[in-house]
Structures are given as C-alpha cells and as structure tokens.
Amino acid sequence: MSYLVLKYLHVIGACVLLGTGTGIAFFMLMAHRSRDAAFIARTAGVVVTADLLFTASAVVVQPITGLLLAREAGFPLGEGWILLSLVLYGVAGAFWLPVVWMQARMRDLARAAAANGEPLPAAYHRLFRWWFAFGFPGFGAVAGIVWLMIAKPGW
C-alpha cells in the first residue's frame, strides 16, 4: 500500500475519532438538557450505534495505519512522539470503553423512565456526570495524538 494511501486512511481515521466524539458529546448533552426521557433514550440509542459503527472502526484502523506509516516513513517505534501517542491512545481507550457502556446504560434507564412515565432516575444522572467527566481526558488524549501526529516533535 502506498504511503499516501496509508496517510489518507490514517488522517480520515483521526477525523472520524475527533468528529464522532465531538458529535456524540454534543447530541448527548443537548438531549440531556431537554430532560425528556424519551428524547434522551432515542438520542442515546443513535449515539451507541454511532460509537460502535464509526468510533470502533477508527479505533481498529488507527494503530494499523499508524504502524504501517511509521514503517514506511522510517520512524522507529521508539521515537518519543510515537511512544507518547501510544500512551495517549491507551488513555483514550481507557476512558472510551466505559463511556460506551455508560451511554448504553443511560439509554436503557431513559427508555424505562419514558415507558413508565417517570422522571429520569438518580442512577441516570450519576452516569451522566461520570460520562461528562470521562469525555475530557478521552477527547483530550485524542486531540493530543493529532497534535503529535502533525508536529512530530523531536524529543
């Protein structure tokens, strides 16, 4: 596979990670602010699907294309910016995996509340606070990786 094709796939993957993450955060926050359990349930259902379809695909593609790109460009995997990128990738994954579970659980809690004509339970609100907090280090790690990918600082 040519270097430019690999680079293209890698950049598209980074765009998908950042774009999907930003979109999901926005739509979940707007649904939450509505306090409408049925709307939250529908939005969270779409969000979970988008995360599994788009984010999960990019999560698989990024390390593969990154490894192949480093090899093609002659960068040793022990290069500082590559190692830091890998650490940040682990951080992003450590925060993303629980977030996917939280989104599915919030969806289920909102569905049950809507079906029973009840307000959102305390468990939903607790999960939302954790979900919101986990977004900062997860998103920050991905943003940091993109910066490292572009700048390739020579430490």
Side-chain angles (χ1 to χ4, degrees):
M1 192 174 297
S2 81
Y3 177 80
L4 286 178
V5 170
L6 285 172
K7 192 170 189 176
Y8 175 77
L9 293 173
H10 198 66
V11 168
I12 291 295
C15 292
V16 168
L17 284 176
L18 280 174
T20 303
T22 302
I24 282 171
F26 176 78
F27 290 118
M28 280 295 290
L29 180 60
M30 291 298 106
H32 172 78
R33 289 185 60 190
S34 78
R35 304 243 183 253
D36 179 339
F39 180 54
I40 292 168
R42 286 189 307 275
T43 302
V46 171
V47 159
V48 168
T49 301
D51 238 350
L52 294 175
L53 232 124
F54 300 110
T55 310
S57 299
V59 163
V60 170
V61 168
Q62 286 307 100
I64 294 168
T65 57
L67 175 66
L68 294 172
L69 269 173
R71 190 180 71 190
E72 281 286 316
F75 288 115
L77 294 181
E79 186 88 25
W81 67 271
I82 292 176
L83 288 176
L84 183 53
S85 293
L86 293 171
V87 168
L88 289 173
Y89 197 75
V91 168
F95 282 94
W96 175 67
L97 287 171
V99 158
V100 174
W101 175 84
M102 287 179 213
Q103 290 167 173
R105 184 72 182 121
M106 287 188 295
R107 175 201 61 206
D108 296 344
L109 290 168
R111 277 183 185 160
N116 297 323
E118 298 172 350
L120 293 162
Y124 166 87
H125 292 287
R126 258 190 317 279
L127 277 172
F128 182 83
R129 285 190 298 275
W130 280 106
W131 175 87
F132 190 81
F134 273 42
F136 288 98
F139 187 81
V142 174
I145 293 166
V146 171
W147 181 82
L148 289 167
M149 182 177 76
I150 292 166
K152 296 177 184 58
W155 299 318

